[in-house]
Amino acid sequence: MKFFIGIILIVLSTLVGYLFSIKYSERRIFFEDFNKVVIRLKNEINFTQRPVIDVLNSSLDNGSDVLVVYNSFLLNNYNYTSNLKYLSFNEKNFVFDFLSTIGTGDVLSQNKIIDVAIEQSNSFLKQSIDDERKYKTLFIKLGLLAGITLFILFI
């Protein structure tokens, strides 16, 4: 019976470590989606005459956090950042600033804004990939080690 409880402790602590590591995957996925949207937006602005809102609506996938942020921004709901707990303050400001400048100028100024956004988003993406690579496995291993430690202490 003690052995079974010990195994359950190991599994539960590993699960807790995994739950702590999820935010790093969500952050990476958000910036991958954001990069796709911004690059598609740039291509659409350069080669079509469609309004920016139509381009953004067509380039966002259902279920994407970028879609949730964009729709909240359109509704002037500035609490959209509360759903993005995995983003830092600077990253949330970057997303807000980008969304607030879309559609405010001519094609040349939009291209400059989008180029800066792509560069900044790529750096956030690179950082999020590095953080995920480091910290996701770290939290899972720490959870496993905590479970093994609890197993040894209780048995």
Side-chain angles (χ1 to χ4, degrees):
M1 185 67 177
K2 284 185 177 182
F3 184 75
F4 181 69
I5 292 173
I7 296 297
I8 290 175
L9 281 174
I10 291 173
V11 170
L12 287 177
S13 63
T14 305
L15 180 65
V16 168
Y18 174 75
L19 292 176
F20 278 118
S21 71
I22 286 177
K23 75 176 188 176
Y24 296 104
S25 297
E26 289 176 341
R27 186 170 161 235
R28 177 193 48 83
I29 291 168
F30 177 83
F31 281 113
E32 285 175 346
D33 289 346
F34 190 81
N35 270 355
K36 289 176 189 174
V37 168
V38 173
I39 290 170
R40 185 166 182 191
L41 179 64
K42 181 178 180 178
N43 290 337
E44 291 283 338
I45 286 173
N46 285 333
F47 299 114
T48 66
Q49 298 297 323
R50 292 173 50 197
V52 174
I53 291 178
D54 291 343
V55 172
L56 283 174
N57 284 331
S58 68
S59 64
L60 293 172
D61 297 329
N62 288 336
S64 168
D65 282 344
V66 178
L67 178 66
V68 172
V69 169
Y70 174 67
N71 286 335
S72 297
F73 185 81
L74 284 180
L75 297 173
N76 292 326
N77 179 6
Y78 297 107
N79 290 331
Y80 69 87
T81 58
S82 63
N83 297 334
L84 302 175
K85 294 179 177 154
Y86 48 86
L87 294 183
S88 70
F89 180 74
N90 289 336
E91 293 166 344
K92 288 177 187 177
N93 281 339
F94 162 70
V95 172
F96 175 76
D97 290 342
F98 175 73
L99 291 176
S100 63
T101 58
I102 291 300
T104 58
D106 61 350
V107 173
L108 292 175
S109 64
Q110 285 296 303
N111 277 330
K112 289 179 184 176
I113 291 169
I114 290 173
D115 287 339
V116 169
I118 289 171
E119 183 180 319
Q120 185 67 35
S121 181
N122 282 335
S123 70
F124 284 140
L125 177 62
K126 184 177 183 278
Q127 182 64 40
S128 67
I129 289 170
D130 291 343
D131 287 349
E132 181 186 21
R133 195 174 293 136
K134 284 190 284 189
Y135 297 121
K136 186 173 181 175
T137 57
L138 176 72
F139 280 114
I140 293 171
K141 288 176 185 176
L142 283 175
L144 179 66
L145 288 174
I148 291 171
T149 303
L150 290 173
F151 178 77
I152 291 171
L153 289 176
F154 288 121
I155 292 203

